[in-house]
Amino acid sequence: MVRYAEPGAVEWVESGGGPLIAIPETVLPFWAGADGDETASDYDRACEVDGSVGLLPVGDSAALVLGDEPASTAYLPDHGVFVRWCAADSEAELLARVPAALATAVWEREVRWKVPGAVVLFDSAWPGPETGRTEHLRVALEPGAYAVRAAQVQPGPETWLGLVQLERLPHPE
């Protein structure tokens, strides 16, 4: 597989062509990926998500599917955002454009995602228990509800990126 995001300032995850998925660690054993005896595998369900983001039930929780295109993806905790590398001359160029991209993004419809804690981002074709054998990224999240929104942004003449922002919602009183 060709690597578009060379090792650098942040850790990038790529897929073999399908969507990336962020699954709470607590329910990783329930994700079968492309394996399984069912007519529609978990991977097939992930591929059916329409748009930039969507939620799929997994165990007693939900997985966040990063749809649209299988772009190299990193998580920037300082911004609470997954950054999807669509086009840029370098990692430095892409990361330097993130603040401007966040400021000018036209966000798609928001979804609400409740997580019990940390999630693991990986290629949705892999079974959850085997994520240690493939590219993956552990993202430490506080338990609770998050507003998730996505945008495609062109913050520079040769730079395009996708954003999936996670905003922690306040606890209900």
Side-chain angles (χ1 to χ4, degrees):
M1 171 170 55
V2 174
R3 288 201 56 82
Y4 295 99
E6 292 302 323
V10 298
E11 187 175 346
W12 296 90
V13 174
E14 296 184 350
S15 84
L20 292 173
I21 191 161
I23 298 181
E25 281 181 325
T26 58
V27 295
L28 270 177
F30 300 105
W31 184 259
D35 295 344
D37 298 327
E38 300 175 26
T39 54
S41 68
D42 285 342
Y43 173 74
D44 292 332
R45 293 188 312 135
C47 290
E48 291 174 3
V49 167
D50 190 28
S52 299
V53 295
L55 298 175
L56 289 179
V58 179
D60 63 356
S61 192
L64 178 66
V65 178
L66 305 184
D68 203 21
E69 64 176 77
S72 298
T73 302
Y75 184 72
L76 304 180
D78 292 347
H79 298 288
V81 68
F82 286 105
V83 175
R84 313 204 68 208
W85 186 325
C86 300
D89 289 334
S90 69
E91 179 184 66
E93 169 71 18
L94 182 101
L95 294 175
R97 301 274 186 177
V98 168
L102 286 166
T104 60
V106 177
W107 299 101
E108 298 173 10
R109 182 183 56 84
E110 181 178 286
V111 298
R112 300 291 169 109
W113 186 31
K114 188 172 181 183
V115 298
V119 300
V120 179
L121 177 73
F122 62 101
D123 185 333
S124 60
W126 281 86
E130 296 184 26
T131 56
R133 295 182 37 217
T134 187
E135 287 186 12
H136 68 282
L137 176 65
R138 183 180 188 274
V139 178
L141 295 177
E142 291 292 321
Y146 289 80
V148 180
R149 59 188 187 166
Q152 298 290 322
V153 186
Q154 183 182 354
E158 301 295 325
T159 306
W160 291 270
L161 54 99
L163 301 170
V164 177
Q165 188 175 52
L166 308 178
E167 181 182 343
R168 179 87 154 72
L169 298 172
H171 293 308
E173 299 294 326

